[in-house]
């Protein structure tokens, strides 16, 4: 069986990481999997890049320009919207033609157009589409943030000037997506039960097959290691507690850094002794912009690509905190738990599916900094650290291992290939 995984980036972003790990998991379990990307970042032989022409950059810029125009020449929400009005036709590429199954992942920002996706669906090859956010189920947004228009038809979009209208950009893209999917069968996969439930409510996808399969992780790579050695390699304090926060861009409001800052201030106020033995490590870009706002010593580790260094960062921490306002099934929580690090996050999206409250971490009330502080303090000073850590490792081994996830995808591939061959 040959599977072509299609994603905009090879390594940058959560979807790219998940798609790359799935490719590795499939190849380790008897499937010949390749990845097709716009942005190739390594020399990996199983990863193919789109033909490097001037059109790739033009597709990205033209889509941004069109969105900017509809935003009345303002940058607000410029990268929260995707309309897929241009992209590359991949159906003529040899990688596409030799594949038995086409597996789409995150294909935005000029990678594929709606017209291009329609051509893929019309090619006759079975298609699986793994949703890493809500965009395939809506018109133009990746985060609904409480909006429910996608259950009937997108319109009056909150991201457009003046709150949009009954026939705004979102309505027009919605209708194009309807035409794209009309009469076509796509096997939709979501990484969390929460996103699966949301997808099933979408008027775009409610006639499609929807399955929930989590992202995989290599538990031979992400695993517990000596904490002191990990800290020494990173130049972090050998003694005391370390709270870890990670995000590609630390200042992204959706990642909830302001709630972590508030929670740390509450901890420092209610437990003054913590000021002497607690510090915060921040993995990601722009950490220096907010470090001074935290009441504890802060270590800005920057944006890291080296996987072994990332594993060391997790193993150096005592608790991982992700107070996001919207999440699907975050790789960072999975990575931390695989390294035996208890996690604290809000009750939102797929986070409560990953963190078993008081068993391998703490699930705080949504946007509640006081409860977030309570959760951090629980993990650091109240709970049995060894029990929490063991529970983390067991949860990942049972649910997110490469073999477990690969087998679930292979079952889907076999099903759709059998169905395709009997049409």
């Amino acid at each position: 069986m040959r599977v072509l995984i299609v994603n905009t980036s090879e390594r940058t972003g959560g979807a790219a990481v998940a798609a790359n790990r799935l490719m590795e998991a499939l190849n380790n379990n008897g499937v010949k999997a390749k990845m097709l990307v716009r942005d190739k970042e390594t020399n990996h032989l199983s990863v193919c890049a789109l033909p490097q022409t001037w059109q790739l950059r033009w597709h990205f810029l033209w889509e941004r320009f069109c969105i900017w125009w509809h935003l009345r020449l303002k940058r607000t929400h410029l990268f929260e919207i995707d309309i897929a009005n241009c992209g590359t036709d991949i159906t003529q590429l040899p990688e596409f033609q030799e594949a038995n199954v086409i597996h789409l992942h995150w294909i935005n920002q000029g990678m594929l157009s709606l017209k291009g996706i329609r051509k893929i669906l019309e090619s006759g090859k079975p298609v699986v589409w793994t949703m890493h956010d809500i965009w395939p189920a809506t018109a133009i947004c990746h985060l609904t943030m409480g909006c429910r228009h996608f259950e009937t038809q997108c319109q009056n979009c909150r991201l457009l000037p003046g709150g949009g209208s009954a026939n705004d950009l979102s309505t027009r893209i919605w209708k194009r997506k309807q035409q794209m999917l009309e009469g076509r069968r796509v096997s939709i996969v979501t990484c969390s039960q929460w996103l699966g439930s949301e997808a099933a409510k979408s008027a775009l996808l409610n006639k499609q097959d929807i399955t929930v399969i989590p992202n995989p992780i290599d538990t031979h790579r992400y695993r517990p290691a000596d904490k002191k050695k990990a800290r020494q390699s990173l130049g972090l304090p050998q003694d005391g507690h370390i709270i870890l926060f990670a995000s590609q861009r630390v200042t992204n409001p959706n990642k909830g850094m302001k709630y972590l800052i508030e929670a740390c201030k509450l901890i420092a106020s209610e437990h003054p002794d913590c000021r002497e033995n607690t510090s915060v490590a921040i993995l990601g870009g722009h950490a220096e912009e907010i470090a001074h706002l935290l009441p504890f010593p802060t270590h800005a580790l920057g944006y890291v690509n080296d996987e072994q260094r990332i594993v060391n960062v997790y193993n150096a921490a005592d608790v991982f905190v992700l107070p996001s306002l919207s999440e699907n099934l975050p790789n960072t929580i999975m990575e931390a738990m695989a390294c035996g690090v208890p996690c604290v996050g809000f009750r939102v999206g797929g986070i409560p599916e990953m963190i078993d409250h008081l068993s391998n971490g703490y699930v705080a009330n949504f946007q509640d900094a006081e409860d977030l502080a309570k959760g951090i303090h629980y993990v650091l000073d109240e709970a049995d650290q060894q029990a929490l850590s063991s529970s983390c490792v067991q949860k990942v081994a049972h649910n997110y291992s490469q073999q477990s996830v690969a087998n679930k995808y292979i079952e889907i591939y076999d099903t759709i290939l059998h169905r395709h061959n009997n049409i």
Side-chain angles (χ1 to χ4, degrees):
M1 184 192 305
R2 296 179 182 272
V3 175
L4 182 64
I5 293 171
V6 184
N7 197 76
T8 299
S9 173
E10 179 185 357
R11 296 183 64 185
T12 302
V17 170
N20 221 301
R21 288 176 179 169
L22 176 60
M23 177 184 68
E24 183 179 356
L26 292 171
N27 283 321
N28 288 339
N29 284 274
V31 175
K32 293 181 179 179
K34 285 186 177 181
M35 196 168 169
L36 178 66
V37 300
R38 184 194 67 190
D39 304 329
K40 183 172 169 62
E41 300 164 75
T42 72
N43 294 320
H44 201 303
L45 295 177
S46 294
V47 180
C48 311
L50 292 178
Q52 292 299 310
T53 68
W54 61 271
Q55 287 181 316
L56 297 181
R57 185 65 177 164
W58 170 249
H59 291 158
F60 171 78
L61 293 173
W62 177 245
E63 183 184 29
R64 288 312 107 188
F65 174 81
C66 293
I67 295 169
W68 181 61
W69 181 263
H70 281 92
L71 292 174
R72 297 176 186 170
L73 311 186
K74 294 182 180 178
R75 289 181 55 86
T76 309
H77 306 312
L78 181 60
F79 288 94
E80 297 174 53
I81 293 173
D82 275 296
I83 59 176
N85 61 331
C86 53
T88 301
D89 176 8
I90 67 171
T91 60
Q92 301 306 309
L93 298 178
E95 293 83 9
F96 182 93
Q97 295 182 354
E98 71 182 15
N100 303 114
V101 176
I102 306 304
H103 193 156
L104 306 180
H105 284 255
W106 200 89
I107 43 72
N108 297 113
Q109 295 194 356
M111 174 74 182
L112 298 181
S113 65
L114 298 183
K115 182 179 178 181
I117 297 172
R118 177 70 181 190
K119 288 194 72 172
I120 293 170
L121 298 177
E122 290 174 341
S123 71
K125 292 181 182 288
V127 176
V128 177
W129 194 345
T130 293
M131 293 174 57
H132 294 278
D133 58 38
I134 198 69
W135 186 83
T138 68
I140 63 176
C141 73
H142 295 271
L143 299 173
T144 55
M145 302 304 288
C147 173
R148 309 307 299 177
H149 288 311
F150 70 95
E151 295 182 8
T152 50
Q153 175 183 291
C154 287
Q155 58 184 343
N156 300 313
C157 183
R158 64 181 177 84
L159 298 175
L160 298 174
S165 65
N167 189 35
D168 59 18
L169 177 65
S170 71
T171 308
R172 295 195 292 278
I173 299 300
W174 175 275
K175 291 177 179 177
R176 290 175 196 169
K177 281 190 173 182
Q178 279 184 320
Q179 292 170 357
M180 175 187 78
L181 293 168
E182 187 177 6
R184 299 295 168 185
R185 199 166 182 177
V186 184
S187 293
I188 300 292
V189 175
T190 65
C191 305
S192 67
Q193 296 285 349
W194 165 78
L195 189 57
S197 175
E198 292 289 275
K201 295 171 186 172
S202 167
L204 281 174
L205 301 181
N206 57 14
K207 294 181 181 178
Q208 305 293 347
D209 297 328
I210 299 174
T211 308
V212 178
I213 303 177
N215 296 327
I217 188 169
D218 184 353
T219 51
H220 296 291
R221 190 173 298 153
Y222 287 85
R223 60 181 182 177
D226 185 273
K227 190 179 297 292
K228 286 189 177 294
K229 288 183 179 178
R231 291 186 177 187
Q232 185 177 14
S233 71
L234 297 164
L236 294 173
Q238 285 289 311
D239 300 317
H241 295 314
I242 293 181
I243 300 168
L244 176 63
F245 174 90
S247 173
Q248 188 173 347
R249 180 169 60 87
V250 173
T251 53
N252 180 350
N254 184 58
K255 295 301 179 181
M257 171 53 82
K258 77 170 188 175
Y259 293 98
L260 177 58
I261 292 170
E262 189 176 344
C264 286
K265 288 179 178 178
L266 287 169
I267 293 170
S269 174
E270 295 171 9
H271 309 280
D273 53 309
C274 289
R275 291 180 180 271
E276 304 299 322
N277 69 350
T278 305
S279 58
V280 178
I282 302 177
L283 182 64
H286 303 274
E288 65 283 352
E289 296 177 25
I290 53 86
H292 66 284
L293 300 174
L294 287 153
F296 303 128
T298 303
H299 308 276
L301 303 177
Y303 183 77
V304 177
N305 262 332
D306 179 74
E307 203 158 28
Q308 185 53 55
R309 185 172 172 84
I310 292 172
V311 172
N312 286 340
V313 171
Y314 285 119
N315 275 293
D318 296 290
V319 62
F320 176 69
V321 185
L322 187 66
S324 292
L325 307 186
S326 178
E327 282 289 354
N328 180 15
L329 197 81
N331 291 322
T332 49
I333 287 181
M334 189 185 302
E335 291 164 356
M337 289 176 64
C339 294
V341 180
C343 299
V344 178
F346 286 141
R347 185 174 287 105
V348 65
I351 289 177
E353 298 171 35
M354 306 181 80
I355 303 174
D356 300 320
H357 188 56
L358 304 184
S359 174
N360 55 35
Y362 191 100
V363 182
N365 296 325
F366 186 56
Q367 292 183 311
D368 186 340
E370 188 174 345
D371 200 27
L372 191 71
K374 183 179 177 182
I376 295 169
H377 189 261
Y378 167 80
V379 170
L380 293 180
D381 294 299
E382 298 174 23
D384 181 332
Q385 281 277 340
Q386 189 55 52
L388 285 182
S389 180
S390 296
S391 181
C392 286
V393 174
Q394 290 171 11
K395 176 71 177 275
V396 172
H398 186 263
N399 293 279
Y400 311 130
S401 70
Q402 281 193 344
Q403 185 171 357
S404 171
V405 174
N407 286 340
K408 290 175 182 177
Y409 269 112
I410 291 170
E411 186 176 338
I412 286 186
Y413 299 153
D414 286 338
T415 299
I416 61 177
L417 280 170
H418 178 76
R419 185 172 66 207
H420 175 74
N421 292 334
N422 285 280
I423 292 177

